[in-house]
Amino acid sequence: LVMASALRFTPVTDLEQCVTAARRLAQTGAFGDSERSLIYFGCYPHNMGLVYLLAGIFKAADALGADELMAAALVCGLLFSMLCAARLCRRLGGAQAQARALLLFATCLPFLYCTSELYTDAFSVAFAPMIVFAFLKARDAGSRKERSLWALLFAVCTFFGAQIRFPTIIAAIACLIAALFEKRAKLTALLAAPLALVFAVGGSAVNAANKANL
């Protein structure tokens, strides 16, 4: 947050379009009355996920009387350094691996300012470890109910990550391939079914929202 404040800037190019649309969406509930937004998002609809995320952050910031961009930097920083990434390291390499990961986040200079940009890359990068963590929890679950819940979380994390930056889905595909290599056919099916369902239902909802706004 200190680095984000020191590096505060006026958004330009793609980010300016996203921030401007998000502000209009948060304040008026629509941005389709702007010809600039219609032209831009007609060409780059894949950035709509970031607009919805920023609009939610800006609306919460306005309600709390907080600075919009600093609120976005806070959410971005929390996502980027989410404990889930450290928990994933612990699950894969033990307590020492988790400690090293946390130390890396605290001392690696690029980590301290990369979330200041507030673009899709920084917001979406946290979802990959969340997806892998949910997969490992589903794989090692002790009951069908627990495995199903983690499979659903696996699907939800993949969907939301993909809305911000679609290549996030690669992490989910890798997990499904890993399950197949481990000859866990039932696990693969249990992960793939809610994934397909969430993308079908969620995708329809997102398309409807995009159509309403554009």
Side-chain angles (χ1 to χ4, degrees), residues 116-135:
S116 302
E117 175 61 21
L118 302 179
Y119 196 47
T120 52
D121 306 77
F123 274 108
S124 66
V125 72
F127 286 89
M130 292 166 64
I131 291 166
V132 176
F133 185 75
F135 162 70

Side-chain angles (χ1 to χ4, degrees), residues 1 28 32 62 205:
L1 286 175
T28 67
D62 289 342

Side-chain angles (χ1 to χ4, degrees), residues 10 23 28 40 42 55 61 72 85 93 98 110-111 114 142 154 156 171 205:
T10 300
R23 281 176 172 156
T28 67
Y40 175 80
Q98 176 177 281
F111 280 1
C114 64
F154 170 84
V156 170

Side-chain angles (χ1 to χ4, degrees), residues 15 17 109 140 143 180 194 210:
L15 183 58
Q17 292 276 9
L109 184 60
D140 301 333
S143 67
L180 285 174
N210 290 348

Side-chain angles (χ1 to χ4, degrees), residues 40-210:
Y40 175 80
F41 290 105
C43 296
Y44 305 103
H46 54 276
N47 279 339
M48 287 292 295
L50 179 63
V51 171
Y52 295 137
L53 174 62
L54 289 176
I57 295 171
F58 292 167
K59 188 174 291 187
D62 289 342
L64 297 172
D67 182 282
E68 289 180 342
L69 290 182
M70 288 305 295
L74 173 63
V75 174
C76 192
L78 288 173
L79 276 174
F80 190 84
S81 59
M82 186 171 281
L83 185 60
C84 186
R87 292 290 297 171
L88 175 60
C89 290
R90 183 186 185 93
R91 194 167 189 85
L92 294 172
Q96 287 189 349
Q98 176 177 281
R100 291 187 186 118
L102 292 172
L103 182 63
L104 181 63
F105 273 105
T107 59
C108 183
L109 184 60
F111 280 1
L112 299 182
Y113 69 81
C114 64
T115 55
S116 302
E117 175 61 21
L118 302 179
Y119 196 47
T120 52
D121 306 77
F123 274 108
S124 66
V125 72
F127 286 89
M130 292 166 64
I131 291 166
V132 176
F133 185 75
F135 162 70
L136 293 176
K137 294 288 285 187
R139 186 192 67 180
D140 301 333
S143 67
R144 181 181 293 272
K145 181 180 179 180
E146 182 184 359
R147 185 173 288 113
S148 298
L149 288 174
W150 282 108
L152 179 60
L153 185 60
F154 170 84
V156 170
C157 288
T158 304
F159 175 76
F160 281 107
Q163 299 314 303
I164 302 172
R165 191 77 167 173
F166 192 74
T168 306
I169 199 173
I170 294 172
I173 295 172
C175 290
L176 293 175
I177 293 173
L180 285 174
F181 281 174
E182 294 176 359
K183 299 180 180 179
R184 301 283 298 273
K186 289 184 178 180
L187 174 62
T188 305
L190 185 63
L191 292 170
L195 186 64
L197 179 63
V198 167
F199 267 84
V201 176
S204 297
V206 169
N207 288 337
N210 290 348

